[in-house]
Amino acid sequence: LLEIARQHNLEHGLRQGLQSIAVASIGPTTSDELREQGITIDIEASHPKMGFLVRDAAERAAATLRLKRG
């Protein structure tokens, strides 16, 4: 996603947008890469499986958004 945004000169807007949404990661490897790219992770799945990611995001996204958006 970041590479495509760079190619279309949209990276700045993408990064701004990511600051106002709940960013979820499927597990430690993905979280490490996101952090390396300067993206803050709000939710990391309790186990690196899609079902856990969906459940954890559903349970925590509303509270995360309230905090991020004030």
Side-chain angles (χ1 to χ4, degrees), residues 26-48:
I26 198 161
T29 302
T30 301
S31 294
D32 288 345
E33 179 61 27
L34 288 168
R35 286 186 198 99
E36 190 172 309
Q37 296 297 324
I39 298 170
T40 301
I41 292 85
D42 300 303
I43 301 164
E44 184 176 281
S46 55
H47 296 283

Side-chain angles (χ1 to χ4, degrees), residues 1-21:
L1 179 62
L2 287 171
E3 182 57 34
I4 292 168
R6 282 185 201 111
Q7 291 173 8
H8 294 280
N9 297 318
L10 299 170
E11 183 178 3
H12 178 73
L14 172 62
R15 289 183 179 277
Q16 280 186 316
L18 290 172
Q19 293 175 15
S20 64
I21 66 169

